[in-house]
Amino acid sequence: MDSSHAAGQSGVMRDVVVIGGGVVGIAVAYELARAGAAVTVLERESELATECSSGNAGMVSSTHAFPIASPTALMQGLRWMWRPDSPFKLRPRTHLLPWLARFTAASTPGRADRAGALLVQLTQLGVELHAELADAGLNESLVRRGLLDAYETEAGIEAGRSEIAARHARGLTGELLSREELLEAEPALSPDLLGGAFYPDEAYCDPLLFARGLAAAATELGVRFRCGVEVLAPAKAGGRIVALETTAGRIAVDQVVLAAGVWSPPLARDIGLYLPIEGAKGYHLEVESQSGTPRLPVYMMESKVVATPLEGRLRLSGTLELDGMDTRVDPVRVGAIRRAGDHHFPAIRGAAVRNVWRGLRPCPPDGLPMIGRVEELENLLVATGHGVGGTTLAPITAQLVREIVQGLPPSVDLELMRPDRFRRLLPSRNRAANGSQAPVPA
Ligand SMILES: Cc1cc2nc3c(=O)[nH]c(=O)nc-3n(C[C@H](O)[C@H](O)[C@H](O)COP(=O)(O)OP(=O)(O)OC[C@H]3O[C@@H](n4cnc5c(N)ncnc54)[C@H](O)[C@@H]3O)c2cc1C
């Protein structure tokens, strides 16, 4: 996606099949179609963007794009592990150990710093591209008024002060606010809070409206969305994927983009590619908007809950649960999200909950997305692992995928995002069983 949303790109484009109709798959399809490709998206659900892309907090943000693996996250995660209502949960199990080992290795200051710098670069481009899409009429729900942090404690203010300094060092804007300044910026907040921060360059949107609006634009460009078609297994021959076995029969393919979010690893495993992505469950609950609900999005720093003002309702999102593919709702943690909302916004106390939602963020252990080609399979592109920032990152991911397909130099160095950057720590059971070698990526 570049500044011209009216014109397509030059370059030789081919038939592309995208696996997964979440925000990433949709953005990739739109971008490739704009460049002249014939694109088909296969989505197993009966509608597009029903999974993680539908109910997230909708922040289009570069200031809050921390890598999930960092010394601070590691320490905080350990402290929170034992509290049933904390914003973080880890269900210990053997299967998670290799992911945790990689997470710990990625949490050194040096690696976290490199990942942080890359995430800032990616998310800043993402924020710019969202603005361009909105200017072109392709994201009417984008609101560009900035984002507030709210602090309940002196410790929160101190943490906020150092976060702002770290953001300034990366060229991001943001300023600390006194309690009075915070309440002036957002009168819906409780006077019990101690202070806040304002980030003027941030935006937010209704993520479902964004994804489906982009899909509508992609359809006009000729993209074929085939909902209700699940990819069962890719068929490989001679270093290529030649076809996809699906619930609608075998589909021959030229180029394939794997954008199936947290469901990407099993499909990748079938073709010998190891993607250590864990599902990190998060929730939202929504209450009807009342007079006195906020006009700005607010990040409640101590409770790690985000309040997003959407049409007719206030969405409260939070929690990161490393609980495998378990999609059960934990009422204790949803209750904690509600309490944080009530504490920060007196007007919603007692308001009925409209709905509770959960989604699985696709999280690689180093917090960086997986974008790029894979050496062993010449016609496969991976675009997944967007973790906590897929809505923000979808447009820049799409641009990078388009640049790769067109053979153009990518606008961002892809090295740290290589999909095959992780070595398998233990041989997979399938591979060990049939005697083949575990893949050893470069
Ligand atoms: C509580 C919460 C808050 C969040 N807040 C933000 C935020 O403020 N800002 C932000 O940028 N991000 C946020 N995120 C993260 C964001 O939601 C994700 O990063 C993003 O939605 C991932 O998009 P995706 O397209 O990769 O995955 P998904 O939306 O999960 O899409 C994957 C699609 O692939 C389909 N699929 C899977 N397997 C197959 C198959 N075999 N065949 C065909 N189709 C298949 C699925 O049905 C699904 O539709 C949040 C997430 C959560 C949970």
Side-chain angles (χ1 to χ4, degrees):
M1 296 187 185
D2 63 9
S3 53
S4 160
H5 284 274
Q9 308 290 318
S10 61
V12 183
M13 293 299 277
R14 294 184 283 181
D15 288 4
V16 183
V17 173
V18 178
I19 306 175
V23 70
V24 173
I26 291 168
V28 165
Y30 168 77
E31 182 70 0
L32 292 179
R34 230 164 50 86
V39 186
T40 303
V41 177
L42 304 178
E43 167 54 51
R44 68 169 182 201
E45 300 297 330
S46 57
E47 284 182 283
L48 294 171
T50 54
E51 298 287 355
C52 201
S53 303
S54 61
N56 67 53
M59 294 302 121
V60 173
S61 161
S62 50
T63 52
H64 290 60
F66 308 109
I68 61 160
S70 70
T72 323
L74 195 61
M75 291 314 295
Q76 212 163 33
L78 289 172
R79 273 202 305 275
W80 276 336
M81 253 183 81
W82 315 108
R83 256 184 48 204
D85 64 345
S86 79
F88 174 74
K89 175 185 171 188
L90 186 156
R91 182 165 57 84
R93 65 217 128 96
T94 331
H95 174 79
L96 191 62
L97 289 177
W99 188 97
L100 281 176
R102 292 191 178 89
F103 172 85
T104 309
S107 298
T108 59
R111 282 189 65 184
D113 194 52
R114 280 195 297 282
L118 175 59
L119 278 177
V120 166
Q121 186 190 10
L122 282 173
T123 50
Q124 278 188 312
L125 290 166
V127 173
E128 277 171 37
L129 291 172
H130 269 275
E132 286 172 13
L133 287 166
D135 291 343
L138 292 171
N139 188 3
E140 286 175 6
S141 75
L142 192 77
V143 180
R144 288 172 268 182
R145 291 192 205 123
L147 160 69
L148 284 171
D149 283 351
Y151 309 119
E152 298 171 55
T153 60
E154 290 295 345
I157 294 179
E158 272 323 298
R161 200 186 301 283
S162 49
E163 280 169 4
I164 288 177
R167 285 165 182 150
H168 286 173
R170 293 204 193 280
L172 298 167
T173 51
E175 54 172 321
L176 213 55
L177 303 179
S178 65
R179 176 182 17 212
E180 292 68 32
E181 289 167 330
L182 177 69
L183 292 177
E184 196 181 321
E186 183 45 79
L189 280 164
S190 162
D192 294 341
L193 296 166
L194 298 191
F198 181 56
Y199 299 95
D201 300 330
E202 305 291 64
Y204 75 96
C205 66
D206 182 323
L208 181 60
L209 294 183
F210 168 59
R212 294 206 175 147
L214 204 54
T219 304
E220 280 182 25
L221 292 171
V223 173
R224 190 166 170 227
F225 289 100
R226 295 187 63 186
C227 289
V229 177
E230 179 174 354
V231 176
L232 302 173
K236 195 171 100 170
R240 290 177 63 77
I241 300 175
V242 288
L244 299 174
E245 302 294 348
T246 78
T247 47
R250 188 178 171 93
I251 298 175
V253 293
D254 179 7
Q255 299 285 310
V256 178
V257 179
L258 178 58
V262 78
W263 297 274
S264 301
L267 293 169
R269 191 166 52 231
D270 284 349
I271 42 179
L273 172 64
Y274 174 58
L275 302 179
I277 291 176
E278 276 295 318
K281 186 166 52 185
Y283 305 111
H284 86 218
L285 65 89
E286 292 181 338
V287 294
E288 306 276 343
S289 292
Q290 346 262 314
S291 66
T293 40
R295 64 179 271 288
L296 287 173
V298 176
Y299 194 163
M300 306 167 210
M301 291 306 289
E302 282 86 352
S303 48
K304 307 289 175 213
V305 172
V306 182
T308 314
L310 296 172
E311 188 64 41
R313 64 214 199 271
L314 181 66
R315 175 174 293 175
L316 301 170
S317 323
T319 303
L320 195 147
E321 289 185 17
L322 288 170
D323 201 3
M325 300 300 279
D326 186 341
T327 56
R328 279 174 300 180
V329 171
D330 177 348
V332 175
R333 286 194 161 82
V334 173
I337 293 174
R338 175 71 206 246
R339 276 197 303 284
D342 285 356
H343 178 68
H344 285 73
F345 301 105
I348 67 165
R349 290 173 194 162
V353 171
R354 209 168 120 152
N355 69 299
V356 173
W357 169 92
R358 86 285 260 165
L360 292 175
R361 306 169 181 94
C363 285
D366 58 0
L368 293 174
M370 295 164 162
I371 304 172
R373 286 208 187 275
V374 181
E375 252 173 49
E376 297 82 3
L377 289 161
E378 60 173 69
N379 62 341
L380 174 70
L381 257 149
V382 177
T384 189
H386 291 78
V388 298
T391 292
T392 304
L393 294 172
I396 180 62
T397 301
Q399 177 172 313
L400 291 168
V401 168
R402 194 248 308 145
E403 288 165 349
I404 297 167
V405 172
Q406 288 184 312
L408 298 172
S411 349
V412 177
D413 187 350
L414 297 170
E415 181 59 23
L416 290 179
M417 295 184 277
R418 278 179 27 231
D420 55 3
R421 62 186 180 271
F422 295 102
R423 282 167 193 276
R424 195 189 289 281
L425 299 180
L426 299 168
S428 93
R429 259 175 283 159
N430 290 348
R431 299 194 138 245
N434 67 22
S436 56
Q437 295 289 312
V440 182

